[in-house]
Amino acid sequence: MRRGILTLLAMVGLAVAAVPGEGQAPPPDAVYLCNEVVLRIRVPAGGLTVDQRREEVRLRIVRAYANEEVTAPNIRLSHLDSGWVIMVGRTALVTVTEADGRANASTAAALAQAWTARLRHLLPRCLPQPLLPGR
């Protein structure tokens, strides 16, 4: 049980860790993978504040690593009434709305494609490593 909790904590740390630079605070809207910004949540959506939405995306990334095959071909983009949804297997990571597009000086479709490309590049490369026994 302890090992499972430690593994989950390591995965959460991977999904939320950020090292923007010495003496700099990480941007409050950024979601990081492998110390790189993968996307920025700048507007509320779905009844969630910006902070809640960003945290939900981070938790969904952890769930994707735990439950899905995290490969570039398994990261896909779908269009729904609520916006563009980026999925890893059966796990929805984020819905990109028109408000997201405007907040990023883009359209929802273009932003969703950019975020999907970034996730396809970073998610498979940043797979969490299991903890060694005794740690």
Side-chain angles (χ1 to χ4, degrees):
M1 175 72 169
R2 181 172 179 245
R3 185 179 214 182
I5 291 170
L6 290 174
T7 301
L8 179 60
L9 289 174
M11 290 168 50
V12 170
L14 175 73
V16 301
V19 181
E22 187 112 6
Q24 293 179 334
D29 59 357
V31 175
Y32 287 84
L33 284 171
C34 293
N35 295 323
E36 293 185 41
V37 175
V38 69
L39 55 91
R40 293 181 186 275
I41 301 294
R42 294 184 166 142
V43 295
L48 300 175
T49 67
V50 171
D51 288 341
Q52 291 169 332
R53 193 170 168 218
R54 187 185 60 249
E55 288 305 312
E56 184 64 27
V57 170
R58 289 175 175 165
L59 289 174
R60 289 175 181 186
I61 289 171
V62 171
R63 275 190 223 117
Y65 278 130
N67 300 314
E68 304 293 347
E69 181 182 356
V70 181
T71 60
N74 205 26
I75 300 167
R76 65 188 190 287
L77 182 60
S78 300
H79 188 263
L80 301 176
D81 290 338
S82 58
W84 294 88
V85 180
I86 302 172
M87 308 276 297
V88 177
R90 298 174 318 268
T91 303
L93 294 184
V94 63
T95 299
V96 184
T97 66
E98 290 300 326
D100 289 311
R102 285 190 301 274
N104 287 277
S106 183
T107 65
L111 182 62
Q113 290 170 354
W115 283 0
T116 301
R118 191 88 173 125
L119 285 160
R120 283 181 180 145
H121 173 72
L122 287 173
L123 275 173
R125 199 178 94 202
C126 301
L127 290 171
Q129 300 299 312
L131 294 176
L132 298 175
R135 293 209 173 182

